[in-house]
Amino acid sequence: MSDIKIKLAAGTNVGLVRTNNEDNFVASRDLTASDWTIPQVDEQIDLGEYGALLVVADGMGGANAGEVASAIAIETIQSKFVPENLEDAVQSDETILQFMVNAVKSADLNILNRSKEDEKTMGMGTTIVMAWILGNKAYICWCGDSRCYVFNENLGLTRLSKDHSYVQELVDRGELSPENAHNHPYSNVITRCLGDLQNRAVPDTHIHYLKDGDIFMLCSDGLCGLCVDEEIINVIHDHKDDINECKNELISAALNAGGHDNVTVVMGAVKIEASEGEENSAEEELVTELDETIRPEIRHSHKVRNTLLILVLILVIAGVCIYFFNPPLYEQISEFIKGLFGQEKS
């Protein structure tokens, strides 16, 4: 069986405009031991029986209400992910995902109950995104527009969550291109959250099979709302060997881009050491069909390839037309090309 190791980094910043921080986060590098400490240096440990958990919540509601909502969400998740609850939860993919969904729904209910008890917090809410790294998989659960990415040096950057937002719905309907989504005037309008008085929270889930060198990055929209995926991948790639430094650089990138929102980043780096004689798993990764911006490097290579194909097609068509409609010119071009590559007439 593979030996999986993990190291974590996490941080938050109020930004350059806000006076209070409505973001909250928590991470456990070893749920088996209820270890919720986040080391300040790159410290790699063995992945425990119940794995590791990364969580980010982005509160909303004005005054202090947003930070109350996100704090309740984090506290609820933390109270659910205790060893005595996890033995039954980890029986299968289905039980794991259902456990995560139920934890989010419990947080939603706790926020709603607090709103009813304290009118000052009426209307507060929060997004949430979680990554549970367990065994050879990462289980992602989210509600809102806080995101989970995974970076792998061999595969690039992939977005593992899909925003619950008005702009994402426009993209899904083909009414807005992914390239224009980032700067849309309504990019901050979300369609799902925790604490909504009209609609109970409906989180989505996804499963990702771990690969050696995977770096998971969860963030509030204080980062992904200011920095496009291409900027994020450049920072992670340049600082992938030190995720504490990488976390700091990602926060700095958001601040340099304006810093008009709170920014929170939680990261987990995975190292897989295969046992002697062990073969790689042939299982296919489950893929969520997201918009094409999730793989910026791959998207770029597709554009280059498509451009080359179009140029080749144009040249072929031009050659056929010259051959049929102007044979003398075709013969001259043929002689020129042969001379260019040093070929002699037979």
Side-chain angles (χ1 to χ4, degrees), residues 43-323:
E43 183 180 356
Q44 188 170 259
I45 69 167
D46 292 329
L47 189 66
E49 179 184 2
Y50 294 143
L53 184 70
L54 290 64
V55 191
V56 168
D58 181 356
M60 66 201 82
N64 294 323
E67 60 194 64
V68 172
S70 62
I72 292 173
I74 293 297
E75 291 164 4
T76 303
I77 298 302
Q78 210 168 352
S79 70
K80 296 295 182 181
F81 280 80
V82 291
E84 52 266 34
N85 293 343
L86 299 180
E87 183 177 357
D88 291 335
V90 299
Q91 297 303 309
S92 67
D93 288 346
E94 291 73 20
T95 58
I96 290 167
L97 293 176
Q98 191 58 57
F99 182 82
M100 299 178 80
V101 168
N102 290 343
V104 171
K105 290 185 174 181
S106 293
D108 177 46
L109 182 60
N110 288 342
I111 293 169
L112 290 171
N113 288 337
R114 176 63 177 274
S115 294
K116 295 174 183 176
E117 296 168 2
D118 184 358
E119 62 180 16
K120 293 180 181 179
T121 63
M122 184 66 68
M124 69 177 175
T126 187
T127 68
I128 195 165
V129 60
M130 296 190 287
W132 189 0
I133 301 170
L134 178 65
N136 67 337
K137 302 171 188 172
Y139 300 86
I140 317 301
C141 182
W142 73 96
C143 188
D145 64 351
S146 293
R147 291 181 183 173
C148 176
Y149 293 84
V150 63
F151 169 83
N152 189 287
E153 189 169 14
N154 297 320
L155 299 172
L157 184 73
T158 303
R159 198 187 305 170
L160 297 180
S161 60
K162 183 176 183 177
D163 293 351
H164 297 137
S165 68
Y166 171 69
V167 165
Q168 184 62 53
E169 290 182 355
L170 292 178
V171 173
D172 292 344
R173 295 199 298 264
E175 299 174 16
L176 182 69
S177 69
E179 290 78 11
N180 292 327
H182 189 266
N183 294 319
H184 194 278
Y186 297 129
S187 59
N188 63 336
V189 177
I190 60 174
T191 54
R192 298 189 208 175
C193 69
L194 283 63
D196 187 340
L197 295 172
Q198 305 301 320
N199 301 290
R200 293 300 308 274
V202 181
D204 278 332
T205 59
H206 175 63
I207 300 175
H208 170 82
Y209 283 89
L210 297 181
K211 301 171 186 64
D212 183 38
D214 277 352
I215 299 176
F216 294 89
M217 194 274 287
L218 280 63
C219 66
S220 62
D221 71 338
L223 173 64
C224 56
L226 288 173
C227 300
V228 297
D229 288 358
E230 287 82 355
E231 295 174 284
I232 291 172
I233 192 175
N234 288 336
V235 174
I236 298 178
H237 180 270
D238 291 346
H239 303 279
K240 60 184 180 295
D241 295 328
D242 185 337
I243 62 168
N244 259 299
E245 180 183 1
C246 188
K247 170 260 299 181
N248 292 333
E249 290 298 322
L250 286 166
I251 292 175
S252 294
L255 298 179
N256 291 336
H260 59 65
D261 199 356
N262 312 140
V263 53
T264 298
V265 174
V266 177
M267 305 188 73
V270 173
K271 175 66 177 176
I272 302 177
E273 298 175 353
S275 301
E276 186 176 353
E278 182 181 20
E279 295 182 359
N280 291 332
S281 171
E283 291 180 291
E284 293 288 335
E285 179 188 349
L286 301 178
V287 178
T288 302
E289 292 185 3
L290 307 180
D291 64 77
E292 64 176 333
T293 63
I294 62 170
R295 297 177 186 266
E297 288 190 335
I298 294 174
R299 188 190 74 209
H300 176 70
S301 66
H302 284 172
K303 286 183 176 179
V304 172
R305 184 185 65 186
N306 291 341
T307 301
L308 290 175
L309 287 174
I310 291 171
L311 289 174
V312 170
L313 184 60
I314 290 172
L315 290 173
V316 170
I317 293 173
V320 171
C321 291
I322 294 172
Y323 178 80

Side-chain angles (χ1 to χ4, degrees), residues 20-31:
N20 64 312
N21 195 338
E22 296 183 309
D23 287 358
N24 266 289
F25 68 91
V26 74
S28 173
R29 57 182 181 169
D30 187 1
L31 288 168

